[in-house]
Amino acid sequence: MPVNETLATYSDWLYRSALGVYLFAILLYAVEQAFARAPRKKAEALVGAGAPVPGILADEPKSELSKPERIGRMGAALTVLGAVLHLASLVMRGLSAGRAPWGNMYEYMSLLCLAAVVTWLVLMAKFPIRRLGAFVLTPILILLFLGGTVLYAESAPVQPALRSYWLVIHVSVISISSGVLLIPGVTSILYLLKDGKADRFPKLPSADVLDRMSYRTTVLAFPLFTAGIICGAIWAEAAWGRFWGWDPKETVAFVSWVVYAAYLHARATAGWRGRGAAWINVAGFALNVFNLFFINLVTSGLHSYAGL
Amino acid sequence: MIAFLRNTWRGLTSMRTALTLLFLLALAAMPGALLPQLSLNASKVDEYVAQHGWWGRFLLKLGFFEVYATPWFAAIYLLLFTSLVGCLLPRTWEYFKQMRARPVLTPRNLSRMPHHAQAVLDVTPEEVVEKAKKSMRGWRMDAGDGTVSAERGYLRETGNLVFHFALLGLLVSFALGKMFSYEGQVIVQANGGQFCNGGIFNYDQFRPGLRVDGTDLTPFCVEVGKFSAEYLDNGQPVGYQADIRYQSGADLAANTWQPYNLQVNHPLRTDGDRLYLLGHGYTPTFTVTFPNGEKRTQGIQWLPTDQLTLASEGATKFDPPGVTDSEQRRKSQIAVTGLLAPTPLLHGNILNSKFPALNNPMVAVDVYRGDLGVDDGRGQSIFSIDQKMVEQGRLQKVARKNLALGEEIALDDGTKVRFDSVNDWVSLQVSHDPTQGYVLLFAILIILGLGVSLTVKRRRVWVRATPQDDGRTLVEVGGLARTDQAGYGEEFTRLARAVLNEEKS
Ligand code: HEM
């Protein structure tokens, strides 16, 4: 199947535009973070007493948005725009090569980052954390930039071992779950900054909110990650003759799986909640990044993508 | 003594120990990804040890090049296993008790609960209880005198136990698999080559599990027919396939064959064994016409040295016919060595390959004559000649030439070497693992258990209605999520809203 060059070129343009838009979004978020006042502590919902259920029915008072807040909102809108361009770039890639658009490291990275951005958008809708956008989008932008330069590969078909619907399932699940796991990686770092010294970073959300965000995203991604590893094993059985062979990539995936399992346990173990758990989550993400770069580029295993 | 044992057991099965063991496991597995491993690439290990002097030898002694077979890895694995069993037994017991338990009585002070709401309403306590019962359908509930206590999310613990037991099952099946599995590789000529799973010696390479001695492999035979490959313009392969026939089970006795189209990603599964197409290469066929007019034709696989162009090297060896005197025979053995280019690219006289498919293939051969050294008892590679024989002058290069199909070289003694044809070979792998089906089953249970235990929340709600002096009723609602408070707020708000209003139900 020949590659459609026109679509491939569109895909590259869209990718670059998405990067540009994300960069603007980061700047706007940074402005909000820098100039907005520290969040006032909101009264705990549902603690009031008296007639018709205060705190439940009453809506939040609608106050005028401050200027930095309006800038932050623009940042959020740009993030949505960036994600749309980003998605379009992946779709064009897939159409141009006539296959699922995660057949080499560049594409894998792109999908991973898209998953991270989308997760972030969802979280932003749920928690009052918009101003953290700069912290989250910066590592994503760095990964996207590395993906688009160092790892870049022309649109092309893939080698025989990758021609399987398992490519579609295994790689997408692993890539998306790793992308989702980027978010708790970042919020756990913020947690470590914030925890203990509540007044040191007054503009960050409370340690409690950060911890809860980390936990909820990890809990969402961990079963996905597990399923991704298992799909990989099923595929390895069909493609390489064994479902598990301690290939370097398999090994590091196993190790980071164990680390995330340890995170979940740490949150239920006295003395490990909070800081201990946060460190473990950061370590888990560091391992995922290590798996992506070091194992793919430096060691040689069965798992290397053709043409990088 | 008993106390000591009990303490050890308690220590071993505590959450903290499990956590530590998990870390140890992660740490111990890492060298396997960072250092070359004997099971994956033995020559890289030799290279590493040679390069790193005493450090390399030290690591070798400690088993760092076969991490997953070392006693220390097994020790961590077994401790974790014990710890897992130790914490699962009491939890299972707990679980069955809890399954029959009633929800906890309404605590005295509901305003201490993490979730709490209250209101004074114009309803009777009985109406409040009725309303609460209605809005919490599906909860396990005890309604008493003006109070309701309800709990739900028991499935969380079910999922959690399923997950942990499945993990246990997976570890056991994996370990059993390591004992009773085997894996062998063999090269078979296309267009008629056969292979039978009769014994270890039929393989080029065989890796048995700890409990496999190779004496009772499941018998089956394959015959490889036509092989075909498809490439992109740059030589990157797009797909391989081989038409094979096989017989196993009753077919063996009846000598009937079943056809199968073997492809990458599509192994043949038969009688507990799996057959894989791993790769392919070329077999040049040469005919040597000896001075006395006798002919010998040989085709043996050559080894691809460039994976992108499939330029291959090898050595095709001939014994002179009709020579019975071994001394004499050893002086006139012939080896045809060199390079095979499936699609030739010539720079002057230098032959190379520019594409992996066969398009007027050429060979650049060196012909050697003399003692090949095949009789001295040491095995020698089928892909090369013994360089020692060349250095000692017992084997001499007598001709060098590029040959296209059908061309021949004449040696000084009148012997002729003709390049006849090129055939495909395929490398096949046979794998046998009796427990992998169980591993898959447990893996699926792991995901299901995990999904349930991480999405379901164990949570409690209490309602208390207290009549006030003015005839109205103080209604309090309290809520507690047993595991993680995250996400419980919305549901609690909804429930509280349903209970804390004055509409009659
Ligand atoms: C002594 C051994 C173990 C004990 C005492 C133990 C205990 C627990 C407990 C209490 C939870 C529930 C945590 C919560 O959500 O509140 C849990 C969850 C979990 N355990 Fe274990 N566990 C053990 C071994 C393991 C091992 C060896 C693994 C995997 C490598 C593992 C993986 C998990 C995972 C992934 C969860 C999260 C799922 C969930 O929260 O239900 N556990 N474990």
Side-chain angles (χ1 to χ4, degrees), chain A residues 1 44-57 126 156-165 212 215-216 218-220 222-223 226-228 230 234-249 251-252 254-255 257-259 261-272 280 287 290 294-295 299-300 306, chain B residues 15-16 18-19 22-23 25-27 29-30 32-34 37 39-41 44 68 73 114-121 156 163-164 167 174 178 183 232 236-240 263-267 269 274 276-278 429 431 433 435-436 439-440 443-444 446-447 450-451 454-455 472 483-487 489-490 492-493 496-497 500-501:
Chain A
M1 162 124 194
E44 288 279 320
L46 300 179
V47 209
V53 208
I56 297 182
L57 300 178
K126 285 200 157 177
V158 290
Q159 65 182 71
L162 296 183
R163 317 210 126 213
S164 161
Y165 56 89
R212 239 179 321 146
Y215 179 71
R216 288 180 86 174
T218 308
V219 155
L220 177 77
F222 185 72
T226 313
I230 290 172
I234 295 175
W235 187 13
E237 195 268 346
W240 298 330
R242 81 290 181 292
F243 66 88
W244 194 267
W246 299 108
D247 180 71
K249 180 129 271 187
T251 304
V252 178
F254 168 75
V255 172
W257 186 81
V258 171
V259 168
Y263 167 79
L264 294 177
H265 282 86
R267 272 187 108 266
T269 307
W272 277 89
I280 298 173
L287 272 166
F290 174 80
F294 187 83
I295 297 295
T299 63
S300 63
Chain B
M15 220 27 205
R16 194 174 295 263
L19 198 56
L22 278 178
F23 278 126
L25 185 70
L27 199 67
M30 267 319 261
L34 301 178
Q37 296 291 299
S39 60
L40 297 177
N41 196 335
K44 271 213 177 137
Y68 312 109
F73 194 76
H115 299 272
H116 173 247
Q118 66 178 36
V120 178
L121 304 176
R156 179 190 182 89
F163 168 81
H164 283 88
L167 192 66
F174 187 81
K178 284 282 157 263
E183 192 177 280
L232 293 182
Q236 189 190 324
V238 174
Y240 302 139
Q263 296 181 18
V264 177
N265 277 322
H266 294 281
R269 295 170 193 275
R274 291 164 281 135
Y276 295 86
L277 178 60
L278 290 190
Q429 173 170 311
S431 306
D433 182 348
T435 63
Q436 70 170 10
V439 173
L440 179 62
I444 291 171
I446 280 183
I447 300 193
L450 204 54
L454 290 179
T455 46
R472 307 206 317 159
T483 31
D484 193 89
Q485 302 292 332
E490 296 99 42
F492 180 81
T493 308
R497 201 177 277 178
L500 296 182
N501 64 51

Side-chain angles (χ1 to χ4, degrees), chain A residues 279-304:
Chain A
W279 276 114
I280 298 173
N281 202 310
V282 174
F285 189 69
L287 272 166
N288 270 349
V289 172
F290 174 80
N291 206 358
L292 186 54
F293 284 99
F294 187 83
I295 297 295
N296 268 11
L297 300 181
V298 182
T299 63
S300 63
L302 291 164
H303 253 101
S304 27

Side-chain angles (χ1 to χ4, degrees), chain B residues 8 22 33 35 94 99 143 155 195 200 207 254 285 300 305 334 350 362 394 446 476 499 503 505:
Chain B
T8 315
L22 278 178
L35 294 171
E94 256 321 281
M99 276 300 142
L155 217 51
F195 163 80
I200 296 179
R207 266 196 297 242
T285 304
I300 189 145
T305 47
I334 287 183
I350 312 284
M362 276 182 88
R394 290 155 72 184
I446 280 183
E476 291 175 281
V499 176
E503 289 157 26
S505 57

